[in-house]
Amino acid sequence: MSGGGVILENLSGKKLFVLVLVLFICQIGCFLLGGLLAPTPSTTDMVLASKCIYNQSNPWSYIRGTGQCVTHELGSYTSEYNLVANDIVFTFQIPTPRDGQTLDYSRWQQNMIGVLNFDIEYHTGTTMDRNFVLTLDTKLGYRNIGDRDDDWHLYAASVEKRNLDCVATEKIDGHNYQCSLVPLFELGSLFHDYYLINIKIPVDEQMGINIGLGHLKDVWLVVINQNGGFTYVWIHMKAIIFPIVVGILLWFWYRVYRLARKPVLLEQMLLIIGIILSCLNFPIESLSLYYDMPYMLILQDLRQGVFYAALLSFWLIFAGEHLMDSHQTSILTYWKHLSAVFIGCVALFAFEMSERGTQLKNPFYTIWATNTGTNLAMAFILLALLSGICYFVFLSFMIWRVFCNISIRRSALPAMSNARRLHYEGSIYRFKFLMLATILCAFVTMVEFVLGQVSEGHWRWNENSEINYGSAFLIGVYGMWNIYIFALIILYSPSHKHWPSEMDVNNSSSDTIEFSRLPTEPTEMSSLAAFSKKSAFD
Amino acid sequence: MKATIVIRTIILTLVVDEISKVYAKHREGKYKGTHWWGIAKAGEPNNLVPMSPGMMHMDSTSMTLLRNKQRRMIRENPGVLQAISRGVNMALQECQHQFRNRRWNCSTKNFMTGENLFGKIVDRGFRETAFIYAITSAGVTHAVSRACAEGVIETCTCDTAHQRRGPYIQNSEPGVKDWEWGGCSDNIDFGYKFARMFVDTGERGRSLREKMNLHNNEAGRMHVQSEMKQECKCHGMSGSCTVKTCWMKLPNFRSIGDNLKDRFDGASWVMVGNAGGLRRTRRKDNAQNKHNENAQQNGMQQQPSAQQGQQQEHHRRGGRNRYSFQLKPYDPELKAPGTKDLVYLEQSPQFCDANPRLGILGTHGRQCNESSIGMDGCDLMCCQRGYKTHQAIVSERCNCTFLWCCEVKCSVCSYRKTVSTCV
């Protein structure tokens, strides 16, 4: 194994073009897979609460099946029934039946989020305060196919406080307040078949609980769950990508291993990011089809977070390695820059654990419900944001320095021999090419993100259109970063090829002395990095 | 043996058919198809006896209010009857609320005597008639969609026509599988389709009046659909907005009533006369359907172009162009009425004096507001006939506060009030 540099430098333009083309086609394929085959990532169901009258003998109120509750209308309050607040149970039995069939949740649907929406009627005599603190006595139960109709099992019960912000836009009797959405629960796994939510809105005059709530007419629950079809496409895509990435990673490490030297930092980083990507790609979601894994949401967020952290660190080191003049670079050299990434990640991890971590114990918990919680969450996010800004300042500065170096060296190029010059020009071109690819990927991600937001919000395409933008975005971007890492690993793995120009260089050129050190470099760094180093000597 | 059974069945069917036809002719007035409004009153709790969950028994008198198709729809969709009843009641209350200060105040008749719920006024193509049709149609759409959301109607469709069915097969029914794969459509879709089939059943003739009814019914439904408000929630990685899911929220019925009242005030007078008033627009069904759904989806006002039957039902019965018509405004200078506009055929009478032929009660004895210059002012309300005033001590509930739950705390206010009554 002699020869220097990485595949990127030795690859002919034609081959590079073919490789890029193939990867580009794969990318298009990912977008199409998401857009055409997969349904929207998640689906909603608006469920209207049935107002059950609480029955002492039955801990659960439900509206379908034997033992169903007696319902009551809250449209107009009458003294006929002599009800108190504790007698009314807002009941959601999900899923609701469709097409005459009793639907049941499938484990393919992965997770569930519940959001409450209150219909409160405006009356001139009774005005509601903004930022009303609502106290909900909530209970979540589940049942499976084959269980008796009344055999509901307790999943979680909690008394929760939520802020309800209601504004009367038109102050006319009979109109509804515009109320903010109230997040109710988040389930990390949808393991059971049927779910039942019982909510009481108790009133306690001494404690001041729920005093001042207006004329509540209806409570809606918006149930959001992932679509089975999306999970299906997602898991299968991961299952296909996973072995490919692992394969290329083994190939890469085998090549590095066969070198006479120890792997350099950039190669170590590539290995690390490849391993992290493989962890992300491993279709562990499929286990949730067989086991109850409520921590799946956290696991997914963690895997994704670690991947982004690795990617950000990689960019820093990638830029730094094309700049540094000291030979022994280790990850510790970059501790200042990497600490920005690290602090950001720790902040986000703390936020994640305080929100979703607590939800493992109590699915009704949300950090945003209380003011202290909101402040804490904002602090975490702000810290992450600050370190993010620091990171980008560092990165931009480094890239700027690399480009400065390159342009300075470029002016020295005409003095070099023809073959050398062509070679270095090519290297610079390919380095810029990869920079461009990175920027392009980041740009596409951002554009897709914005378009995804807009497509959900406003211009929905024709109803009959088969293209699904949300899924195209998620699957396409996921595929894109895979392809990006895949390309990096291939192009930056050590090349076996001899430089064809080396012979000519050694026997003729005037700048032989200058460049002859290259093959004897103990680290066998990529020639581009060496080139940058050379610049430092000048 | 088989043959005789077949013949018997045929004869029986014919006889039953004949009887129902005769009966229908006898019972249904000039404009059939609106007697279903009667279930608003028939549907009161005393008349509906719950037999088993989801199934309702209806007394025979209220069942006779319905056409065969409507009866079948109610039979096939358990739970829908209460929803319709609720919808008509809601519409009635809304109508009376919107018209409380007008000469015509949306009064109802005793429908049991064979009359229409709203009286004979619906026999004529007035503005008020247009409003009645639109608000009842909107009421049914709203109430059925609402009942779907509550899970009371088990047959609400899970429309996944545009969702591709997944390749993964489990031991489940096709419908369940579709739901697992891509979720269900909004409840409004079922509400809209059901209301279209149920409310528009009677209007199958080709007369202008029936086109007017169809148009106003459709306008009512469109108002429900276009008032839907979109709300969204972010739930991506760590709660970020990488995944955002949106849904449509069913509007408060009061705002639909308000909008329809606005349309009532600006209703279009469309041409009376022969079928020349109907400019048929036949387009390619596909294109139209797409356009329709698109417009509905965006909650935008549709082009005043054609509507096309969305259900198989209409296609099968050859009524596919039932909604493909364009009404011409009386004044050619004016814009053609849009989908959400109300249309009428005749100028309304003054509603001042009682007119039993039209089912108008007149404003005799109505209370009016002396100081108002609006429609509820004594001058306008009493049609310059003059009014009596007398001082009275009125005890009313006042300063009411609604307490959750379920208390209305009111104080009784007694005050001297000048009551004005039209002579």
Side-chain angles (χ1 to χ4, degrees):
Chain A
M1 173 78 216
S2 65
V6 296
I7 287 184
L8 172 69
E9 292 156 60
N10 293 319
L11 214 55
S12 70
K14 204 173 170 185
K15 280 182 183 164
L16 186 66
F17 176 74
V18 170
L19 182 73
V20 169
L21 193 72
V22 168
L23 293 178
F24 188 70
I25 290 168
C26 289
Q27 177 59 64
I28 300 285
C30 282
F31 273 112
L32 290 182
L33 184 74
L36 297 178
L37 184 63
T40 48
S42 52
T43 189
T44 56
D45 196 7
M46 289 283 283
V47 188
L48 179 66
S50 302
K51 279 71 80 177
C52 283
I53 294 174
Y54 185 63
N55 181 358
Q56 298 282 331
S57 60
N58 194 347
W60 293 101
S61 302
Y62 48 92
I63 49 163
R64 287 183 294 278
T66 50
Q68 59 183 351
C69 71
V70 179
T71 55
H72 176 71
E73 266 310 313
L74 290 176
S76 55
Y77 291 169
T78 48
S79 50
E80 206 179 316
Y81 291 95
N82 204 11
L83 285 170
V84 290
N86 254 331
D87 290 338
I88 305 246
V89 185
F90 292 95
T91 304
F92 306 93
Q93 192 176 348
I94 47 177
T96 49
R98 296 282 182 152
D99 290 321
Q101 288 170 322
T102 314
L103 298 180
D104 61 283
Y105 282 114
S106 152
R107 287 171 193 173
W108 285 97
Q109 286 163 329
Q110 295 283 301
N111 50 48
M112 181 159 70
I113 299 169
V115 181
L116 288 179
N117 207 327
F118 291 88
D119 277 357
I120 299 172
E121 201 173 289
Y122 180 82
H123 289 284
T124 30
T126 328
T127 41
M128 241 184 96
D129 295 334
R130 287 193 69 163
N131 296 320
F132 180 78
V133 178
L134 194 68
T135 308
L136 303 169
D137 185 356
T138 53
K139 217 160 63 158
L140 177 68
Y142 66 90
R143 193 166 72 83
N144 286 311
I145 291 177
D147 290 352
R148 277 178 296 115
D149 281 353
D150 59 346
D151 195 13
W152 292 97
H153 310 280
L154 184 71
Y155 191 96
S158 172
V159 177
E160 290 291 326
K161 286 198 186 304
R162 293 283 192 273
N163 291 320
L164 182 66
D165 185 19
C166 291
V167 194
T169 39
E170 316 116 316
K171 295 197 182 311
I172 310 167
D173 263 25
H175 281 251
N176 283 356
Y177 284 95
Q178 302 284 322
C179 289
S180 57
L181 295 173
V182 175
L184 185 67
F185 65 89
E186 264 188 73
L187 284 184
S189 72
L190 204 55
F191 191 70
H192 304 287
D193 292 322
Y194 310 106
Y195 288 87
L196 177 70
I197 296 133
N198 278 184
I199 299 175
K200 279 188 196 174
I201 308 180
V203 173
D204 190 328
E205 296 206 23
Q206 266 121 44
M207 307 281 283
I209 291 172
N210 290 330
I211 301 292
L213 182 63
H215 181 190
L216 181 64
K217 283 199 312 188
D218 276 322
V219 181
W220 296 81
L221 178 72
V222 184
V223 184
I224 303 171
N225 55 263
Q226 195 164 316
N227 267 327
F230 182 78
T231 316
Y232 182 83
V233 173
W234 190 249
I235 289 180
H236 281 78
M237 187 185 68
K238 282 185 160 188
I240 292 167
I241 292 178
F242 176 69
I244 295 175
V245 173
V246 167
I248 203 78
L249 204 60
L250 288 176
W251 172 83
F252 166 76
W253 200 243
Y254 179 66
R255 277 179 97 102
V256 172
Y257 182 76
R258 272 178 46 196
L259 292 179
R261 56 167 172 80
K262 282 194 162 178
V264 293
L265 183 59
L266 210 57
E267 284 159 354
Q268 287 169 350
M269 274 314 287
L270 275 175
L271 181 74
I272 289 172
I273 203 167
I275 289 171
I276 289 173
L277 182 68
S278 300
C279 286
L280 184 63
N281 281 338
F282 186 71
I284 202 165
E285 291 94 332
S286 53
L287 287 180
S288 66
L289 302 177
Y290 308 101
Y291 307 102
D292 190 8
M293 302 166 92
Y295 43 84
M296 190 51 85
L297 271 181
I298 298 181
L299 201 65
Q300 272 176 12
D301 286 357
L302 279 186
R303 287 196 297 171
Q304 221 167 328
V306 169
F307 170 72
Y308 286 132
L311 194 64
L312 295 178
S313 311
F314 174 78
W315 284 338
L316 261 183
I317 290 165
F318 179 79
E321 284 299 280
H322 290 85
L323 182 79
M324 288 291 160
D325 27 15
S326 73
H327 296 168
Q328 286 81 31
T329 48
S330 78
I331 199 139
L332 294 172
T333 324
Y334 300 97
W335 70 270
K336 265 184 282 179
H337 312 83
L338 289 181
S339 58
V341 178
F342 183 73
I343 291 170
C345 286
V346 167
L348 282 181
F349 179 72
F351 168 68
E352 173 81 16
M353 287 319 282
S354 50
E355 169 91 357
R356 288 204 166 146
T358 322
Q359 275 168 3
L360 285 181
K361 280 263 170 247
N362 175 14
F364 294 110
Y365 178 82
T366 169
I367 194 167
W368 302 102
T370 57
N371 285 333
T372 16
T374 307
N375 290 340
L376 196 69
M378 288 310 282
F380 285 141
I381 290 171
L382 215 66
L383 191 62
L385 205 68
L386 276 179
S387 37
I389 291 168
C390 280
Y391 168 82
F392 275 104
V393 169
F394 280 142
L395 186 68
S396 315
F397 181 62
M398 267 185 161
I399 290 171
W400 177 72
R401 275 174 67 195
V402 171
F403 273 99
C404 276
N405 269 347
I406 284 176
S407 62
I408 291 166
R409 281 318 110 204
R410 205 172 235 175
S411 56
L413 280 177
M416 294 177 191
S417 78
N418 226 20
R420 277 285 169 195
R421 203 185 67 227
L422 280 176
H423 183 81
Y424 277 104
E425 275 180 343
S427 293
I428 292 169
Y429 164 73
R430 277 163 193 157
F431 171 73
K432 284 187 171 174
F433 179 83
L434 215 70
M435 284 295 297
L436 194 77
T438 307
I439 290 167
L440 197 74
C441 282
F443 181 71
V444 167
T445 309
M446 274 190 284
V447 166
E448 290 296 308
F449 175 71
V450 170
L451 282 185
Q453 300 287 308
V454 174
S455 73
E456 273 295 349
H458 306 290
W459 46 269
R460 275 211 227 179
W461 286 344
N462 196 330
E463 172 89 345
N464 295 332
S465 139
E466 297 281 329
I467 293 173
N468 224 313
Y469 217 81
S471 303
F473 161 64
L474 283 176
I475 291 175
V477 165
Y478 189 84
M480 188 176 72
W481 289 110
N482 262 293
I483 289 168
Y484 175 82
I485 302 292
F486 183 83
L488 279 190
I489 291 174
I490 287 189
L491 294 176
Y492 275 78
S493 66
S495 170
H496 290 183
K497 248 188 204 167
H498 288 271
W499 289 348
S501 57
E502 219 164 299
M503 292 305 172
D504 319 327
V505 170
N506 281 338
N507 50 31
S508 67
S509 181
S510 61
D511 47 24
T512 319
I513 309 126
E514 233 180 315
F515 282 94
S516 60
R517 111 180 60 230
L518 277 177
T520 57
E521 279 280 342
T523 49
E524 287 188 52
M525 283 290 296
S526 82
S527 68
L528 196 65
F531 174 68
S532 313
K533 279 175 197 158
K534 187 184 73 68
S535 68
F537 283 109
D538 294 346
Chain B
M1 190 60 192
K2 246 185 186 172
T4 45
I5 289 173
V6 170
I7 290 168
R8 253 191 216 166
T9 332
I10 291 171
I11 290 173
L12 204 71
T13 328
L14 284 176
V15 167
V16 168
D17 213 38
E18 210 53 43
I19 288 172
S20 63
K21 263 187 203 162
V22 169
Y23 189 56
K25 242 183 205 167
H26 166 74
R27 187 175 46 76
E28 290 176 347
K30 209 167 164 189
Y31 294 105
K32 42 200 177 177
T34 56
H35 283 267
W36 60 271
W37 290 336
I39 32 179
K41 297 286 171 239
E44 273 160 8
N46 323 347
N47 295 340
L48 291 170
V49 187
M51 299 261 287
S52 62
M55 283 287 287
M56 288 306 249
H57 166 76
M58 236 183 128
D59 56 27
S60 50
T61 39
S62 43
M63 217 50 181
T64 56
L65 295 165
L66 302 174
R67 301 174 66 90
N68 283 339
K69 187 179 166 191
Q70 290 173 330
R71 251 176 274 177
R72 200 192 65 226
M73 286 174 79
I74 282 178
R75 214 170 39 240
E76 286 171 358
N77 299 286
V80 87
L81 182 62
Q82 294 96 309
I84 295 170
S85 163
R86 187 195 161 95
V88 183
N89 272 314
M90 217 160 58
L92 182 58
Q93 277 168 22
E94 192 56 38
C95 179
Q96 287 175 349
H97 169 81
Q98 296 290 345
F99 285 84
R100 66 197 181 281
N101 291 331
R102 295 185 67 106
R103 286 180 193 153
W104 177 77
N105 61 353
C106 207
S107 51
T108 53
K109 282 275 164 73
N110 181 4
F111 74 98
M112 282 301 180
T113 56
E115 276 197 79
N116 205 294
L117 179 65
F118 290 94
K120 280 181 183 155
I121 188 167
V122 292
D123 293 348
R124 308 286 293 266
F126 299 142
R127 252 175 215 258
E128 284 74 13
T129 322
F131 186 84
I132 292 172
Y133 274 83
I135 196 89
T136 46
S137 171
V140 171
T141 311
H142 191 276
V144 170
S145 308
R146 194 179 177 279
C148 275
E150 202 176 346
V152 175
I153 305 171
E154 305 207 345
T155 46
C156 293
T157 48
C158 173
D159 203 3
T160 47
H162 55 280
Q163 301 272 21
R164 214 172 266 254
R165 182 181 294 178
Y168 79 98
I169 312 279
Q170 289 182 321
N171 302 327
S172 48
E173 306 264 331
V176 176
K177 208 167 62 206
D178 286 350
W179 177 69
E180 281 175 15
W181 181 259
C184 283
S185 56
D186 268 330
N187 294 312
I188 185 74
D189 291 2
F190 180 75
Y192 181 88
K193 285 178 186 172
F194 184 89
R196 206 177 210 190
M197 280 171 83
F198 188 87
V199 174
D200 291 356
T201 343
E203 323 294 341
R204 32 188 62 263
R206 292 182 158 238
S207 73
L208 190 60
R209 177 57 210 280
E210 270 160 329
K211 297 297 171 205
M212 168 190 152
N213 294 347
L214 278 182
H215 184 99
N216 292 326
N217 285 343
E218 186 70 16
R221 290 187 289 267
M222 289 308 292
H223 272 271
V224 181
Q225 207 168 42
S226 62
E227 269 293 295
M228 305 270 288
K229 288 273 175 340
Q230 195 182 43
E231 284 178 339
C232 297
K233 162 122 180 114
C234 293
H235 55 100
M237 181 185 162
S238 300
S240 68
C241 232
T242 44
V243 188
K244 190 167 144 194
T245 307
C246 297
W247 59 90
M248 301 300 274
K249 189 173 180 281
L250 204 62
N252 187 13
F253 199 66
R254 176 55 48 85
S255 51
I256 297 167
D258 289 348
N259 287 350
L260 279 175
K261 179 67 191 326
D262 286 347
R263 300 282 171 163
F264 169 86
D265 292 331
S268 310
W269 186 11
V270 290
M271 206 95 101
V272 188
N274 52 16
L278 300 173
R279 181 160 51 83
R280 288 241 166 214
T281 50
R282 285 172 200 274
R283 288 191 201 167
K284 278 189 179 167
D285 286 328
N286 252 352
Q288 248 174 46
N289 208 4
K290 258 185 190 173
H291 165 77
N292 264 357
E293 288 196 355
N294 196 17
Q296 285 158 15
Q297 197 62 44
N298 291 329
M300 294 186 310
Q301 182 170 348
Q302 280 201 10
Q303 297 287 317
S305 74
Q307 284 290 321
Q308 197 249 327
Q310 283 182 327
Q311 308 107 31
Q312 298 278 308
E313 196 77 16
H314 294 304
H315 289 272
R316 215 166 1 102
R317 300 207 171 178
R320 56 163 37 183
N321 283 320
R322 208 163 149 208
Y323 298 93
S324 319
F325 58 86
Q326 173 67 57
L327 294 165
K328 247 189 193 169
Y330 196 80
D331 181 354
E333 300 283 298
L334 293 175
K335 216 173 77 192
T339 328
K340 281 161 76 183
D341 288 323
L342 299 187
V343 296
Y344 63 97
L345 301 177
E346 292 173 66
Q347 291 291 6
S348 300
Q350 291 298 308
F351 294 108
C352 284
D353 299 307
N355 185 342
R357 209 160 46 80
L358 294 177
I360 295 169
L361 298 172
T363 61
H364 299 277
R366 285 278 296 277
Q367 281 196 7
C368 58
N369 185 350
E370 221 176 344
S371 55
S372 168
I373 52 158
M375 227 24 236
D376 59 335
C378 286
D379 282 344
L380 284 171
M381 180 66 85
C382 306
C383 314
Q384 269 99 39
R385 286 189 312 259
Y387 54 93
K388 286 187 292 198
T389 50
H390 65 275
Q391 300 280 316
I393 294 170
V394 191
S395 297
E396 274 180 351
R397 295 203 306 171
C398 59
N399 302 326
C400 287
T401 49
F402 284 83
L403 288 184
W404 164 256
C405 166
C406 310
E407 206 179 336
V408 195
K409 273 188 183 162
C410 294
S411 36
V412 179
C413 303
S414 298
Y415 53 93
R416 238 181 144 69
K417 194 183 172 188
T418 315
V419 180
S420 314
T421 328
C422 296
V423 287

